[in-house]
Structures are given as structure tokens and as C-alpha cells.
């Protein structure tokens, strides 16, 4: 027997497993004495209580329709007052979807509530399909299209949170029902059999909605600074820099153990490779920050690479980060990343600099954006750190990280910059307070990545790379064909790292370029948009179409992403 033969599945059914998680969590583990223990973890609803094991996929969503008068809310989860708009009450305070608008996108209603996470998303047993906006009757499926007129459109964005362990995720469709409805004379002239033609007539797009705003985002010019922690704890074992004893290969460089800075190099170079492959309109630069060498009384920060559109140059600057970090940390007083006088052996590390000056690094990056950024481009600063920052109030009076980030978002100096932060077991409260959009306040969790496991660093950079270019379209076709793909076999395999060159429709589910989703509850969004063209014919008059959408996950450990075997 193998893992994929020992699997239970739950069918898609209204009110029970919408977005329905199916059979959740398949894994095998050696039990010793020549035996193997297999376990399945199937989410089920008993007495309105959601029970799950070590793999838990939580889903929330917002669905909208546009009948010619602008988008209106149709259904959402959670929806604490049942008005169709995503909302939740936590400790007496109500958060609503529309409280988080995308100020730069006039077509955006907002974004999925960022406070929704593994602790706050209600169970699906509490989900409400709401009512059909046309008929006023209770909806029998998640998406229900009745009396659709040419020009009508709709959209639904799902927010996925995989809690506990990493896992592979598939998107699926079920309960697909299509009817020709009551045949009118104009329809019967062109469609005498009164077939259900609505799915074939509707145009649909399925994509990764990276900013979770229910709107497909095309490419925009972006200037990006990568602001990286070059402190000793990123490399040297005595300070926690060695992540595991497993070897790691990075673009031809092979190391016998894995350190945090290795994972940063792997992730940032994948970031650059993705932007190159996507033909993104970007400039990228790199800043670094450390502490101060004893007796130096100066923070070791600076620009590793100035902003440039030549991404091969940036890739070169990001190569060999072990040595470049070592030059800063353990080199002579005043040493730079290029001096070559540091010891890159992770098991060395005597006499290194102390402390971390995140604020100074942010200031350096902001200065580079101000000096060499393009007036027409959005500005982003991606800050990664694994330590507590000096707060700028000590004897040397250097910049506080929160103050530096506040200045960057507020365009002081110009330009106003989106600040994304990545915490690798460092000061989560500081890095969260720094994170937020240009012109906005800090503390925005949608701009903050909190990593318990440094091995997730490359995945974070992959997802941030996907946000720096047009959002990735999984499939664009008739709605009927999209639903057929979602309903076929295991459905469409989703990629947990969009910077890898994985094709969800043509590549196998166990392709090496398909990554599992991280298991720390980070939000990933997938969206489906539909529109009935204005030039559609009479054959769709009176037609109806309904369907449910769901997600299946299996634990990544001891599985290759191929998914459960299909039976005839």
C-alpha cells in the first residue's frame, strides 16, 4: 500500500465543505521495526465544529457582481452581519473589506481583511452563500449566474492560509449545473434544443491575485531596493547563522551546510531570475546593514548595488553573499563587502561587529531610490532582518528603524515607498511596525512576512517577485473550459512560489518547479473573474449556470506533489 491508495475524500456540498478542503493532509512516516505508519487527515464537520490534524487549510473569500452599475458585494466569508461584504468582529471591533482600498486602483473595492489568519478565520460551517442578487432567493452554489445580460461580470478572490505544516494545494470545481432555462422565441431560433450555452459564452480569467484586491493587476514600472541584513547571525554558527547541516547549491556554488545568508542569496537570485524571465519593467538595487566594529563607533551599512535595469549586474552583486557578508562582519575596520578580508567559514566568527542598524540600511536604500529612481515608477523597499535593531536612542544616535520606515513611506526624502519587511526570528514587532504602503501607516500585516523557519526565505522572495510584475494568469478561456479544467482529476495544481517557471496547465503536478505552500499561515490569493461579452447572441437567453469551488491540500513531507491517484 502507498500513501495515495490510503486516502479519503469529501465531496463538495453546499454549506459543509464549500472551498471545501476535501481530504486534507496525507503523509507517511517511518514507524520503526520495518513497518511504515500511514495516516490521513480529513477535515470534517461534526456538531458545527471543525476538526483537523497537523495540516489545516483555512479559506476566506469575497465575491462581487457588476450588473452595469458598478461592483456590488454578493457573498463573503467571514461575513459577520450577512450583507455580502467580508467582515469580522474581533474583541468588539469590526473590520470590513472596504476599509482597505487600493488607493492607486480606482476599480478596486479593497483587499481581503489582513487581520484574517489561522487564529481568526471562522470555520466553514459558519459560511453563508447569501442570496442571488437577481432572484433574491438563497443561492444553492457558491457562484450562481441567472438572468445574465451582455456586459455583466463578476469576480471572486479566495484567500488561502495553510496552517501548521507545508503542503501542496489544488484548486477544484464541483456541483456544476447548467440549464437552458425557459426557451424564448429569439433563443429557440438560434438554439432550437435550448441547450445550456452560458458557460461557453462567458469569458473567464483565473489568476494569482497577489495583493488580494479582487482586481487583476497588469505590469507597472517598479524601482526596488533589497535591503539585507549582513550581521553575523546570518552566517556564523555561534550566533545562530547555520540553519541545518544539509548541503545547499546556489547557481553553481555548493556548500556543505545551509546558512541564513545562503537562503537569502538563493531567494534574491531567484527573485532576479523571475523578473528577467517575465521581462519586468524594473530597476533593482541592493543595500546592506550590520552593526559597528568595536572601536569603530560607526554602523557598517551601505549600497551593495546601485539601482539598475541590467538585472544580470544585480545577479552578480547577489552572488557569493557569504564572502561579502564576512568582509563586512569580520573584516578590518571600515571594511566593505568588496574588500575580501573576511572569514566566510560559518564555524569561525571571532571579533565580529556588534548590533544591527536596520534604520541606517533603510535610510541608505531610500537615498538610492531618491537619487536614481525613475519618476514614473512605483518604489519598493524589501527589508530582511533576523535581529533586534538599535533603536537610534543610544550613545551613537543612529536612525530608528521605525522612524526610517515612516520617512520612506511618507516620502521624506522623496519618493514615497512601499516598505515590505521579512522577519527571520528577529524583532517581529519592529519589522511589523515598519511595514506598509507608500503614503500609508506602518503596521500593515499585508506588507509583513513573519518566518519561523528560515528555509521559507526563498518562497517569500518568490512571492514578492510576483508582485513586482503583472499578476500571473493561470488560465484565460471560456468559463466552461476553466471549470472543466478545475473539475478534471485532482483539479489545477497551484504553485506556492510564483517565481519558479511552473505552468499549472501543462507541467506535471510533481514538477520540480512547483513548490509547496508554506505552513505558517501566510496569505495567498487566487481569483476567478468572468464577463459575458456585449456581442453575445440570443442563444444564452434564460440560461443559468452554478458551481462550487474548492481547494485540496496534502502534506508536503514525504509527498512529491503528484497528488492522489485517480480511480476510474
Amino acid at each position: 500500500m502507498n500513501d495515495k491508495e490510503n486516502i479519503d475524500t469529501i465531496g463538495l456540498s453546499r454549506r459543509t465543505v464549500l472551498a471545501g478542503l476535501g481530504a486534507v493532509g496525507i503523509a507517511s512516516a517511518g514507524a520503526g521495526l520495518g513497518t511504515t505508519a500511514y495516516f490521513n487527515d480529513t477535515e470534517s464537520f461534526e456538531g458545527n465544529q471543525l476538526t483537523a490534524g497537523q495540516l489545516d487549510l483555512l479559506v476566506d473569500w469575497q465575491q462581487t457582481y457588476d450588473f452595469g452599475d458598478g461592483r456590488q458585494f454578493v457573498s463573503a466569508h467571514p461575513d459577520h452581519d450577512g450583507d455580502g461584504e467580508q467582515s469580522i468582529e474581533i474583541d468588539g471591533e469590526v473590520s470590513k473589506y472596504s476599509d482597505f482600498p487600493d488607493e492607486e486602483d480606482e476599480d478596486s473595492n479593497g483587499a481581503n481583511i489582513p487581520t484574517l489568519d489561522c487564529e481568526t478565520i471562522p470555520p466553514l460551517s459558519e459560511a453563508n452563500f447569501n442570496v442571488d442578487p437577481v432572484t433574491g432567493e438563497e443561492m444553492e452554489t457558491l457562484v450562481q449566474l441567472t438572468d445574465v445580460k451582455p456586459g455583466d461580470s463578476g469576480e471572486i478572490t479566495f484567500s488561502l492560509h495553510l496552517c501548521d505544516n507545508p503542503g501542496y494545494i489544488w484548486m477544484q470545481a464541483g456541483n456544476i449545473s447548467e440549464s437552458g432555462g425557459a426557451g424564448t422565441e429569439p433563443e429557440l431560433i438560434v438554439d432550437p434544443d435550448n441547450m445550456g450555452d452560458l458557460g461557453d459564452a462567458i469569458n473567464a480569467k483565473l489568476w494569482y491575485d497577489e495583493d488580494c484586491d479582487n482586481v487583476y493587476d497588469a505590469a507597472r514600472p517598479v524601482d526596488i531596493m533589497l535591503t539585507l541584513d549582513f550581521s553575523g547571525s546570518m552566517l556564523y554558527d555561534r550566533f545562530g547563522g547555520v540553519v541545518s547541516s544539509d548541503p545547499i547549491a546556489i547557481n553553481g556554488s555548493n556548500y556543505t551546510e545551509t546558512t541564513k545568508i545562503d537562503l537569502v542569496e538563493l531567494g534574491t537570485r531567484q527573485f532576479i531570475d523571475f523578473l528577467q524571465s517575465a521581462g519586468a519593467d524594473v530597476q533593482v538595487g541592493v543595500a546592506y546593514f550590520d552593526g559597528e566594529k568595536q572601536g569603530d563607533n560607526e554602523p557598517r551599512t551601505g549600497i551593495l548595488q546601485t539601482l539598475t535595469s541590467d538585472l544580470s549586474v544585480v545577479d552578480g552583486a547577489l552572488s557569493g553573499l557569504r564572502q561579502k557578508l564576512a568582509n563586512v562582519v569580520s573584516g578590518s575596520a571600515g571594511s566593505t563587502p568588496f574588500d575580501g578580508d573576511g572569514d566566510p567559514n560559518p564555524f569561525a566568527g571571532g571579533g565580529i561587529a556588534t548590533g544591527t542598524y536596520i534604520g541606517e540600511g533603510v535610510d541608505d536604500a531610500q537615498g538610492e531610490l531618491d537619487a536614481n529612481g525613475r519618476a514614473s515608477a512605483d518604489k519598493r523597499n524589501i527589508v530582511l532582518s533576523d535581529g533586534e535593531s538599535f533603536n537610534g536612542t543610544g550613545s551613537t544616535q543612529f536612525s530608528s528603524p521605525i522612524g526610517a520606515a515612516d520617512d520612506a513611506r511618507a516620502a521624506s526624502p522623496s519618493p514615497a515607498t512601499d516598505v515590505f519587511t521579512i522577519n527571520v526570528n528577529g524583532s517581529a514587532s519592529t519589522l511589523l511596525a515598519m511595514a506598509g504602503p507608500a503614503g500609508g501607516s506602518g503596521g500593515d500585516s499585508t506588507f509583513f512576512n513573519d518566518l519561523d523557519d528560515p528555509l521559507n526565505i526563498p518562497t517569500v522572495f518568490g512571492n514578492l517577485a510576483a508582485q513586482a510584475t503583472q499578476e500571473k494568469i493561470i488560465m484565460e478561456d471560456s468559463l466552461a473550459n476553466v471549470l472543466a479544467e478545475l473539475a478534471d482529476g485532482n483539479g489545477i495544481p497551484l504553485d506556492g512560489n510564483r517565481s519558479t517557471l511552473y505552468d499549472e496547465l501543462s507541467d506535471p503536478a510533481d514538477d520540480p518547479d512547483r513548490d509547496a505552500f508554506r505552513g505558517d499561515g501566510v496569505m495567498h490569493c487566487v481569483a476567478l473573474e468572468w464577463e459575458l461579452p456585449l456581442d453575445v447572441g440570443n442563444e444564452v437567453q434564460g440560461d443559468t449556470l452554478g458551481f462550487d469551488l474548492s481547494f485540496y491540500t496534502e502534506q508536503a513531507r514525504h509527498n512529491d506533489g503528484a497528488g492522489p491517484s485517480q480511480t476510474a
Side-chain angles (χ1 to χ4, degrees):
M1 182 177 69
N2 60 44
D3 289 352
K4 294 171 184 156
E5 292 169 342
N6 187 28
I7 177 173
D8 297 326
T9 60
I10 298 177
L12 301 172
S13 61
R14 183 175 180 275
R15 301 253 186 234
T16 54
V17 284
L18 164 74
L21 315 188
V24 178
I26 306 167
S28 64
L33 301 178
T35 66
T36 301
Y38 299 91
F39 66 86
N40 292 342
D41 175 17
T42 301
E43 292 202 349
S44 60
F45 298 87
E46 300 174 3
N48 290 326
Q49 296 297 313
L50 177 64
T51 60
Q54 294 300 307
L55 193 66
D56 191 6
L57 177 63
L58 299 181
V59 179
D60 59 83
W61 73 83
Q62 176 67 69
Q63 183 178 181
T64 62
Y65 282 3
D66 186 345
F67 297 101
D69 297 321
R71 293 193 175 196
Q72 62 179 277
F73 298 119
V74 176
S75 73
H77 177 69
D79 180 7
H80 87 291
D81 55 5
D83 66 353
E85 179 180 0
Q86 187 183 75
S87 59
I88 189 169
E89 183 175 0
I90 302 175
D91 297 330
E93 183 174 345
V94 174
S95 297
K96 298 177 74 69
Y97 174 90
S98 56
D99 291 341
F100 301 91
D102 181 347
E103 296 176 356
E104 296 183 356
D105 189 340
E106 63 183 12
D107 295 325
S108 174
N109 292 305
N112 281 39
I113 299 171
T115 53
L116 292 175
D117 56 27
C118 292
E119 303 298 323
T120 59
I121 297 175
L124 287 169
S125 59
E126 300 179 12
N128 183 353
F129 280 40
N130 219 319
V131 297
D132 187 314
V134 174
T135 66
E137 297 178 355
E138 194 172 17
M139 292 173 66
E140 292 299 321
T141 54
L142 173 64
V143 180
Q144 187 167 300
L145 308 179
T146 57
D147 193 28
V148 183
K149 300 293 192 295
D152 287 358
S153 63
E155 195 275 346
I156 183 168
T157 287
F158 293 96
S159 171
L160 313 178
H161 308 251
L162 188 56
C163 308
D164 300 313
N165 289 311
Y168 295 99
I169 298 178
W170 286 255
M171 186 174 183
Q172 303 172 333
N175 292 339
I176 302 171
S177 60
E178 188 167 21
S179 168
T184 63
E185 181 182 353
E187 179 185 14
L188 294 175
I189 291 173
V190 295
D191 182 16
D193 295 326
N194 195 23
M195 304 293 291
D197 302 300
L198 193 56
D200 290 320
I202 288 176
N203 297 326
K205 179 188 298 178
L206 178 67
W207 80 96
Y208 294 104
D209 189 7
E210 299 292 352
D211 55 1
C212 303
D213 68 348
N214 288 65
V215 176
Y216 173 73
D217 296 320
R220 289 178 55 87
V222 187
D223 292 337
I224 305 167
M225 288 298 296
L226 304 174
T227 304
L228 307 177
D229 192 331
F230 265 29
S231 61
S233 57
M234 295 291 293
L235 172 62
Y236 295 109
D237 185 55
R238 61 182 291 201
F239 303 108
V242 175
V243 173
S244 77
S245 58
D246 294 334
I248 187 171
I250 311 169
N251 294 72
S253 297
N254 297 285
Y255 303 109
T256 56
E257 65 287 310
T258 299
T259 70
K260 294 175 190 173
I261 199 62
D262 296 332
L263 294 164
V264 169
E265 180 174 341
L266 181 64
T268 54
R269 294 182 73 181
Q270 285 182 350
F271 179 96
I272 296 301
D273 184 57
F274 175 81
L275 295 179
Q276 285 181 305
S277 300
D281 183 5
V282 296
Q283 287 192 137
V284 181
V286 186
Y288 67 92
F289 57 88
D290 183 26
E292 59 186 46
K293 190 77 170 177
Q294 188 171 6
D296 232 355
N297 204 32
E298 287 293 332
R300 294 188 172 193
T301 70
I303 301 298
L304 183 68
Q305 173 60 55
T306 57
L307 280 168
T308 178
S309 59
D310 188 344
L311 298 185
S312 63
V313 172
V314 184
D315 183 69
L318 292 167
S319 66
L321 289 189
R322 274 197 187 194
Q323 181 65 62
K324 291 172 180 174
L325 181 150
N327 295 340
V328 172
V329 171
S330 61
S332 59
S335 186
T336 73
F338 310 102
D339 291 339
D341 56 351
D343 185 352
N345 178 5
F347 301 100
I352 69 169
T354 59
T356 308
Y357 284 101
I358 300 176
E360 290 291 307
V362 172
D363 283 344
D364 288 347
Q366 189 66 12
E368 178 62 20
L369 287 168
D370 186 24
N372 295 314
R374 298 168 294 173
S376 62
D378 295 340
K379 307 298 186 295
R380 296 182 184 177
N381 189 359
I382 299 172
V383 185
L384 178 144
S385 180
D386 76 335
E388 283 282 351
S389 175
F390 288 152
N391 61 13
T393 59
S395 60
T396 48
Q397 292 294 307
F398 293 115
S399 296
S400 80
I402 295 175
D406 288 346
D407 288 345
R409 294 193 312 275
S412 175
S414 61
T417 302
D418 295 330
V419 178
F420 295 84
T421 58
I422 305 171
N423 173 50
V424 188
N425 291 327
S427 179
S429 59
T430 297
L431 288 162
L432 172 59
M434 295 169 61
S441 60
D444 191 329
S445 59
T446 58
F447 289 75
F448 172 62
N449 294 271
D450 192 16
L451 304 187
D452 293 330
D453 188 348
L455 292 174
N456 289 323
I457 290 172
T459 301
V460 171
F461 276 106
N463 295 338
L464 291 173
Q467 294 184 41
T469 183
Q470 69 270 16
E471 291 177 331
K472 181 181 179 182
I473 297 173
I474 300 170
M475 185 175 182
E476 193 166 17
D477 206 323
S478 70
L479 181 56
N481 286 342
V482 171
L483 292 176
E485 196 74 37
L486 288 167
D488 183 43
N490 298 319
I492 294 179
L494 302 178
D495 189 7
N497 180 358
R498 267 78 72 194
S499 71
T500 55
L501 303 179
Y502 177 70
D503 189 312
E504 288 78 2
L505 301 182
S506 62
D507 290 338
D510 58 354
D511 190 284
D513 281 335
R514 181 195 179 205
D515 287 358
F517 286 74
R518 290 160 41 206
D520 49 7
V522 170
M523 182 167 62
H524 297 262
C525 290
V526 181
L528 176 65
E529 178 180 69
W530 61 267
E531 181 177 14
L532 185 63
L534 290 170
D535 60 357
V536 70
N538 286 329
E539 66 273 8
V540 301
Q541 284 195 35
D543 289 7
T544 64
L545 174 64
F547 55 91
D548 283 334
L549 297 167
S550 65
F551 297 89
Y552 162 84
T553 184
E554 70 177 22
Q555 189 167 301
R557 192 165 157 194
H558 300 301
N559 289 293
D560 59 7
S565 59
Q566 297 298 306
T567 57

